[in-house]
Amino acid sequence: MDTITDTGRSTATRWTIAGVAGLLGACAVGGVAAAVRDDAPDSVTFAVFAVMTLPFVAALVAIALDRTEHPERAEDSIESQWTTRASSGAFYDTIIAMGLATFATSVLDTASLPLWLFVLLGLADMTVRLVLLQRREG
């Protein structure tokens, strides 16, 4: 059964858009990987990178198109809500940075970045977000 989201876009439409965008993104990643890497035939490199990228790009687009409202819990204090919002945003930023770094190092065939850089990025990101939230809403 199709459900209509707040923006009027049906779930099937959202997944269709996500699938097409995922396919285009996967082909782009496969093409870049095939052009840059030389450790396997181009067709194999293209196929492997495209197949492995497709579900992640499609899921990212589907999440970005989802506009479902999620109400806050009334029993939380404002400081608790700020911390939750700051840590949530920092987590997503850290995951995106790790994904982009993994993508770049695998496509360009370079050395990977140390994990402690992402820990520092996450902590710094949360700190900045928390200070900004406190100043803006406090």
Side-chain angles (χ1 to χ4, degrees):
M1 173 179 228
D2 261 359
T3 58
I4 304 296
T5 59
D6 288 341
T7 58
R9 190 178 291 145
S10 72
T11 304
T13 304
R14 181 169 47 107
W15 280 107
T16 302
I17 293 170
V20 170
L23 190 59
L24 292 174
C27 287
V29 169
V32 169
V36 174
R37 297 179 64 98
D38 60 354
D39 54 350
D42 287 346
S43 60
V44 172
T45 303
F46 175 84
V48 167
F49 276 87
V51 166
M52 297 305 290
T53 304
L54 175 63
F56 298 104
V57 175
L60 265 173
V61 173
I63 290 170
L65 292 176
D66 184 21
R67 299 290 179 218
T68 306
E69 293 290 327
H70 301 288
E72 297 290 330
R73 294 183 300 273
E75 67 272 4
D76 285 343
S77 68
I78 190 67
E79 292 83 7
S80 166
Q81 290 178 9
W82 288 340
T83 303
T84 300
R85 289 169 51 195
S87 62
S88 177
F91 174 74
Y92 286 122
D93 289 347
T94 305
I95 294 298
I96 289 170
M98 292 176 88
L100 290 173
T102 302
F103 166 74
T105 56
S106 67
V107 170
L108 301 175
D109 203 20
T110 60
S112 62
L113 296 173
L115 185 60
W116 63 267
L117 286 175
F118 297 107
V119 172
L120 288 179
L121 171 71
L123 292 172
D125 190 358
M126 182 178 167
T127 302
V128 169
R129 284 176 176 271
L130 190 56
V131 168
L132 289 175
L133 281 170
Q134 288 174 343
R135 285 189 182 174
R136 187 179 323 134
E137 298 178 10

